[in-house]
Amino acid sequence: MTMPHPTRPLPPADPALRLKARGAGENPVSRFDPYVREVDWDGWDIPEEARLARTEVSFERPRSVLTRNDSPDVPFDRSVNPYRGCEHGCIYCFARPSHAYLGLSPGVDFETRLVARPAAPEVLAKELSRKGYRPAPIALGTNTDPYQPIEARHRIMRGILQVLWDFRHPVTIVTKGAMVERDLDLLAPMAAAGLVHVGISVTTLDPDLCRRLEPRAPSPQRRIAAIRTLAGAGVPVRVMASPIIPVLTDAEGEAILAAAAEAGATAASWILLRLPHEVAPLFVEWLRRHYPGKADHVMSRLRAMRGGRANDPRFASRMTGEGPEAQMLHLRMRVAAKRLGLEKERRALDCGQFRVPPKPGDQLSLF
């Protein structure tokens, strides 16, 4: 039997399947598998059409939810992910290749065949209760978005936040989802206690580009409004102008930071576009579908900042790029952040309040 090449576009199983409101335009096999296989939080007010690639959710009970890492490029050593896959469908998402570990495609499968972990709060509480556990900030949203649309129904992120508040455990959150506003009743007291930072990702202020680039994520204006709401409640907010895409979004860097600062953000960060593993061919196919006249220019500029490659996996340079263009981009953003007051050091989260809450029936301590 002749099998298709792993990077070649595959026909959908249903020839009538429509991929509107999805980021990927194809569903290639994963690199590990040679075989083919409602509240309005987003602010778009665009009706869904009848025949779309529908979202399917399966369930997993994990034995552990704390993922450890020792990467020198990230400021945390542990994270929790309530979901596998992400319905936001951002075509550039560096987490897409993780779906290959499930035997699924990093393409349309990543956006439509999701895994929810409803037992995650319970499992997390057990892990935090172990005698040898030592607290340090837990990062949420580092792989897939904890406030993606299915969270409205499953509320796993809500449960995790409740556990962290009960344990007085510090946490950092990264999201595009305006649904984060729903949890202000937890986030506000956590912020007052020095236990939480929130990062809101804003890739572009252009609604048309955003709808193509991040088809099921909230609109740019809705994300700026979320920054305003969080900041107004006393929650420290960092704007993440990430990823910066040459030609498509790099000219917007200063405007994104300015809009976020006006809304109340107190810090900023930015990362150059990364295209690991299967993400590179998916992103190129997306470019040729939506911006055929700019596709070659985008990739040429990106390679100039990635040592001649579409992706550079090396520590230290993978987030920032290299060469004069990358240096100039970083300098522009740093100057804008300083001018807007977004270069201030964030207050360190407090690990000293951590305690294991008593269970029903436990004898209370006298001291």
Side-chain angles (χ1 to χ4, degrees):
M1 179 179 177
T2 302
M3 304 307 301
H5 190 277
T7 60
R8 186 179 300 164
L10 300 175
D14 177 0
L17 187 68
R18 301 178 66 174
L19 296 177
K20 268 194 165 185
R22 297 297 180 184
E26 56 187 47
N27 211 30
V29 296
S30 78
R31 64 192 185 282
F32 298 120
D33 187 356
Y35 300 100
V36 179
R37 319 193 28 118
E38 258 296 283
V39 174
D40 176 19
W41 289 102
D42 61 18
W44 287 110
D45 192 27
I46 296 175
E48 297 286 356
E49 297 191 29
R51 290 189 62 80
L52 296 175
R54 295 298 179 187
T55 301
E56 300 174 13
V57 181
S58 58
F59 300 94
E60 169 188 274
R61 181 179 177 86
R63 287 178 291 182
S64 171
V65 293
L66 276 176
T67 300
R68 304 278 183 164
N69 84 85
D70 57 2
S71 169
D73 282 341
V74 294
F76 59 87
D77 69 352
R78 64 200 72 183
S79 61
V80 173
N81 290 289
Y83 303 99
R84 298 180 188 270
C86 187
E87 201 174 7
H88 281 159
C90 307
I91 189 58
Y92 54 75
C93 182
F94 65 82
R96 283 182 178 271
S98 65
H99 236 45
Y101 294 110
L102 304 178
L104 299 173
S105 172
V108 179
D109 281 351
F110 178 79
E111 309 169 41
T112 61
R113 299 180 66 178
L114 311 179
V115 178
R117 311 169 91 189
E122 173 192 342
V123 175
L124 177 60
K126 289 181 179 177
E127 291 187 89
L128 299 184
S129 298
R130 290 174 182 163
K131 288 186 178 180
Y133 182 78
R134 296 292 178 268
I138 289 176
L140 292 165
T142 58
N143 195 49
T144 58
D145 201 313
Y147 286 109
Q148 59 180 287
I150 61 170
E151 165 64 15
R153 181 167 68 256
H154 296 287
R155 298 174 67 87
I156 302 172
M157 176 61 174
R158 171 77 187 191
I160 289 172
L161 275 183
Q162 184 65 63
V163 168
L164 294 172
W165 174 232
D166 291 345
F167 279 75
R168 300 301 188 266
H169 195 294
V171 60
T172 63
I173 300 169
V174 172
T175 185
K176 293 181 176 70
M179 203 186 308
V180 66
E181 295 174 350
R182 178 200 65 189
D183 294 334
L184 269 179
D185 61 319
L186 292 172
L187 295 172
M190 292 178 81
L195 294 174
V196 67
H197 292 153
V198 176
I200 301 290
S201 172
V202 182
T203 311
T204 176
L205 296 175
D206 180 346
D208 180 65
L209 173 57
C210 178
R211 185 67 175 178
R212 297 167 188 250
L213 193 64
E214 306 158 334
R216 293 198 176 206
S219 65
Q221 293 70 28
R222 189 67 187 84
R223 294 183 223 179
I224 296 297
I227 292 175
R228 192 181 306 280
T229 300
L230 290 169
V235 180
V237 185
R238 170 173 55 114
V239 59
M240 306 169 66
S242 303
I244 295 177
I245 304 174
V247 181
L248 292 187
T249 70
D250 57 345
E252 294 188 74
E254 292 88 346
I256 291 171
L257 298 192
E262 189 278 329
T266 56
S269 64
W270 50 90
I271 296 174
L272 181 65
L273 176 67
R274 297 172 54 204
L275 298 176
H277 301 300
E278 295 94 339
V279 184
L282 286 167
F283 182 73
V284 171
E285 185 278 332
W286 177 89
L287 279 173
R288 299 202 183 285
R289 182 159 37 101
H290 289 282
Y291 298 97
K294 296 181 178 180
D296 290 339
H297 190 194
V298 171
M299 294 308 296
S300 174
R301 289 274 309 282
L302 182 63
R303 290 189 183 97
M305 291 187 268
R306 291 291 189 196
R309 296 177 289 178
N311 187 62
D312 179 2
R314 295 175 299 166
F315 291 136
S317 64
R318 63 176 181 156
M319 303 292 190
T320 59
E322 61 181 29
E325 284 194 72
Q327 292 172 5
M328 181 60 70
L329 177 62
H330 180 68
L331 179 61
R332 277 179 44 209
M333 297 296 287
R334 193 173 64 190
V335 168
K338 185 175 182 179
R339 173 172 51 82
L340 294 165
L342 298 174
E343 265 202 337
K344 301 172 185 174
E345 286 290 326
R346 290 183 298 171
R347 185 178 69 172
L349 296 178
D350 186 0
C351 296
Q353 300 177 54
F354 176 78
R355 77 316 194 273
V356 177
K359 299 181 182 67
D362 283 357
Q363 181 175 350
L364 298 179
S365 171
L366 296 177
F367 303 99

